[in-house]
């Protein structure tokens, strides 16, 4: 009997296996790689009262010599192709790529998204909504703004990399790590900033350094291109619309206020009491900013404390670094420079009437009762314009490099 029951169980299992396999969903939306046009970047403009979208598609037929500029370089396929389409909505434009391409547009591997100034001035909410809503859209793309036609940025070839989208991503990541002039802004970070108490955000500008677009593989064989991609100013958005620009120097000061410094080079005057000549370089390796709101009868005072440390990398004057007074003099000079950056940035931000400093968040966290009243009265714009800042900077030179004397001092000896 036991053997018969065992055989029955085996038979039931064999019969159930095919039935259970029907419950498995499998890859219902699988697509072959050869059927996809993989986008490495996108650009959006507003033209003729409709959306103009440009997509940069990786070219699978591009050879290894595509960016080499050597023999046969001019006849090789470009590393990427660009498609420009128009539509009343962004999705309509995306679907229209199927009218001109043999491959289905696939944006899940996109690295960058460039917004034309025309789009930024009109409003960015619709683009953010698309990236947050569409299933295969990537909300971790880095966002940039371009003046004029944003789509032409995607036509520019880059040296040292075939994938231009990845190249621009590396450019902003390297800048934020080494210089800290501009913050790197991803699409989801842009959405979070605009939906925060401040209701504002910043986006770095990307531009062409020359008038000519280098869009032929043979042209990248030059040692120095007449036109390159570069980071420019910092766009300021209030609500969903762009309201103005900050210069590179003003953007640098804002980075100190918002405590986004990772590493920075500061050029300063080594003898500020006798000369304004900029002849010293200091690498700021550590920096932190704390902001404390203080209510003073009828307005807020923002107590901004900046502390940093680093190493001297260049001195062009006569100086003995064994002398503590010389070190203190240089520290004071660097502190004054940072103070000037912060003050200039704050004045520029106030002129734009936009809280990209994040002060609203600080006040909300430290003074909830008053913030609740500000929100009820809808008076934040007025409160922000009346804010006074009191910046304090403390810089410490931790190392002098490999020499305790400047070479000019040794030469004179």
């Amino acid at each position: 009997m036991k053997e018969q029951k065992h055989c029955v169980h085996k038979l039931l299992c064999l019969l159930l296996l095919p039935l259970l396999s029907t419950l498995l969903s499998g890859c219902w939306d699988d697509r072959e790689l050869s059927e996809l046009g993989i986008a490495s970047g996108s650009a959006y403009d507003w033209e003729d009262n409709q959306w103009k979208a440009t997509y940069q598609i990786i070219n699978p037929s591009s050879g290894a010599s595509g960016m080499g500029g050597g023999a046969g370089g001019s006849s090789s396929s470009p590393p990427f192709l660009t498609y420009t389409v128009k539509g009343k909505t962004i999705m309509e434009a995306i679907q229209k790529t199927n009218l001109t391409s043999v491959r289905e547009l696939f944006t899940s591997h996109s690295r960058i998204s460039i917004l034309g100034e025309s789009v930024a001035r009109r409003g960015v909410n619709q683009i953010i909504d698309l990236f947050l809503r569409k299933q295969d859209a990537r909300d971790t793309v880095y966002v940039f703004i371009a003046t004029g036609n944003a789509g032409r940025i995607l036509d520019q070839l880059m040296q040292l990399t075939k994938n231009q989208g990845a190249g621009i991503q590396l450019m902003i990541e390297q800048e934020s790590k080494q210089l800290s002039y501009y913050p790197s802004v991803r699409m989801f970070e842009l959405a979070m900033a605009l939906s925060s108490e401040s209701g504002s955000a910043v986006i770095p500008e990307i531009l062409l350094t020359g008038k000519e677009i280098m869009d032929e593989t043979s042209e990248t064989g030059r040692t120095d291109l007449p036109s390159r991609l570069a980071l420019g100013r910092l766009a300021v958005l209030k609500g969903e619309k762009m309201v103005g620009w900050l210069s590179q120097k003003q953007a640098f000061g804002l980075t100190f206020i918002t405590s986004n410094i990772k590493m920075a080079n500061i050029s300063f005057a080594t003898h500020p009491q006798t000369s304004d000549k900029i002849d010293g370089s200091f690498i700021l390796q550590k920096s932190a900013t704390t902001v404390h709101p203080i209510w003073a009868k009828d307005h807020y005072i923002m107590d901004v404390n900046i502390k940093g440390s680093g190493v001297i990398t260049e001195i062009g004057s006569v100086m003995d670094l064994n002398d503590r007074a010389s070190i203190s003099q240089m520290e004071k000079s660097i502190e004054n420079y940072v103070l000037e950056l912060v003050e200039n940035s704050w004045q520029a931000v106030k002129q734009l009437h936009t809280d990209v400093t994040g002060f609203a968040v600080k006040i909300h966290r430290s003074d909830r009762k008053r913030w609740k009243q500000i929100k009820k009265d809808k008076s934040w714009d007025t409160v922000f314009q009346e804010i006074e800042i009191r910046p304090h900077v403390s810089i410490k030179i931790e190392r002098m490099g490999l020499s305790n004397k400047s070479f000019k001092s040794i030469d004179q000896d």
Side-chain angles (χ1 to χ4, degrees):
M1 288 293 291
K2 289 184 178 180
E3 289 182 2
Q4 287 181 348
K5 286 183 178 180
H6 185 65
C7 290
V8 171
H9 284 304
K10 276 188 174 182
L11 183 62
L12 287 172
C13 287
L14 290 172
L15 291 171
L16 285 171
L17 280 174
L19 294 173
L20 289 172
S21 64
T22 61
L23 300 176
L24 299 176
S25 60
C27 297
W28 61 273
D29 64 342
D30 68 308
R31 286 171 285 182
E32 294 294 332
L33 188 61
S34 59
E35 298 174 355
L36 300 178
I38 300 175
S40 61
S42 60
Y44 303 94
D45 292 287
W46 183 256
E47 187 177 283
D48 299 328
N49 207 32
Q50 60 182 332
W51 290 95
K52 178 183 175 183
T54 304
Y55 294 95
Q56 185 184 90
I57 311 299
I58 296 173
N59 185 4
S61 63
S62 175
S65 62
M67 298 294 288
S74 60
S75 62
S76 64
S77 298
F80 56 81
L81 308 171
T82 56
Y83 292 91
T84 300
V85 284
K86 291 184 178 181
K88 295 178 181 178
T89 64
I90 304 171
M91 271 307 301
E92 181 180 306
I94 291 174
Q95 292 301 318
K96 283 185 178 180
T97 59
N98 295 309
L99 301 176
T100 55
S101 174
V102 297
R103 297 192 175 208
E104 181 185 352
L105 183 65
F106 186 71
T107 59
S108 293
H109 292 286
S110 185
R111 306 291 190 95
I112 61 167
S113 188
I114 304 170
L115 311 181
E117 188 175 351
S118 58
V119 169
R121 296 282 185 182
R122 178 179 180 269
V124 299
N125 280 354
Q126 193 168 339
I127 288 180
I128 293 175
D129 185 85
L130 174 78
F131 274 87
L132 297 181
R133 187 180 303 278
K134 196 169 181 289
Q135 189 174 9
D136 63 343
R138 191 176 183 181
D139 62 4
T140 56
V141 295
Y142 287 95
V143 187
F144 300 88
I145 282 185
T147 57
N149 184 6
R152 71 182 188 136
I153 299 293
L154 296 182
D155 290 328
Q156 175 74 19
L157 292 169
M158 297 180 73
Q159 292 176 313
L160 302 180
T161 179
K162 292 180 67 175
N163 188 336
Q164 189 230 45
I168 295 177
Q169 175 186 342
L170 290 172
M171 184 192 299
I172 188 64
E173 288 177 345
Q174 178 176 282
E175 187 283 328
S176 62
K177 290 178 182 177
Q178 301 293 331
L179 296 175
S180 300
Y181 291 152
Y182 316 101
S184 56
V185 181
R186 296 176 183 264
M187 188 64 74
F188 75 90
E189 292 172 331
L190 175 62
M192 290 173 63
L194 292 178
S195 59
S196 69
E197 293 91 333
S198 296
S200 58
V202 292
I203 304 176
E205 177 193 21
I206 190 162
L207 52 81
L208 288 169
T209 58
K211 296 180 180 180
E212 185 181 356
I213 297 177
M214 315 301 290
D215 56 358
E216 294 185 14
T217 55
S218 59
E219 294 175 326
T220 59
R222 307 181 189 183
T223 55
D224 187 19
L225 297 181
S227 182
R228 292 179 180 274
L229 292 174
L231 298 172
R233 298 165 293 175
L234 192 66
V236 176
L237 280 73
K238 183 176 183 179
E240 65 165 326
K241 297 182 180 181
M242 177 181 164
V243 294
W245 296 96
L246 294 180
S247 68
Q248 185 184 89
K249 189 173 182 180
Q250 292 165 347
F252 194 22
L254 180 63
T255 311
F256 274 101
I257 295 173
T258 56
S259 195
N260 284 322
I261 297 286
K262 294 177 182 176
M263 183 181 288
N265 177 76
I266 296 176
S267 300
F268 65 99
T270 57
H271 293 280
Q273 295 177 346
T274 57
S275 174
D276 293 332
K277 181 182 177 182
I278 305 298
D279 55 1
S281 290
F282 172 76
I283 297 293
L284 184 65
Q285 296 175 321
K286 296 178 183 178
S287 178
T289 303
T290 56
V291 179
H292 300 288
I294 302 169
W295 179 253
K297 294 184 179 180
D298 58 351
H299 70 285
Y300 274 104
I301 296 173
M302 308 305 286
D303 197 50
V304 182
N305 290 284
I306 302 169
K307 292 184 178 181
S309 62
V311 57
I312 294 291
T313 55
E314 178 185 359
I315 294 177
S317 62
V318 177
M319 183 163 290
D320 182 6
L321 298 180
N322 290 312
D323 182 12
R324 180 60 206 174
S326 297
I327 297 172
S328 298
Q329 178 179 276
M330 288 192 294
E331 289 175 340
K332 187 66 176 176
S333 180
I334 297 168
E335 289 169 356
N336 287 336
Y337 177 74
V338 174
L339 278 171
E340 181 186 349
L341 285 175
V342 170
E343 291 284 1
N344 288 342
S345 178
W346 171 240
Q347 292 304 319
V349 167
K350 283 189 73 175
Q351 288 178 7
L352 294 174
H353 302 271
T354 308
D355 179 25
V356 289
T357 56
F359 287 165
V361 178
K362 301 290 185 182
I363 292 172
H364 184 197
R365 291 176 179 175
S366 64
D367 193 352
R368 292 181 178 273
K369 186 177 181 180
R370 200 176 301 276
W371 175 257
K372 188 177 180 180
Q373 187 62 42
I374 291 171
K375 290 292 288 182
K376 183 179 179 181
D377 298 339
K378 297 181 179 180
S379 59
W380 171 240
D381 285 346
T382 303
V383 173
F384 178 73
Q385 287 301 117
E386 295 174 351
I387 287 178
E388 173 189 352
I389 68 165
R390 292 181 182 174
H392 312 279
V393 181
S394 175
I395 298 295
K396 184 179 180 182
I397 298 175
E398 292 187 333
R399 296 191 305 279
M400 309 302 159
L402 301 178
S403 175
N404 285 332
K405 280 190 176 183
S406 65
F407 185 76
K408 193 168 185 177
S409 299
I410 298 171
D411 189 45
Q412 286 191 358
D413 292 343

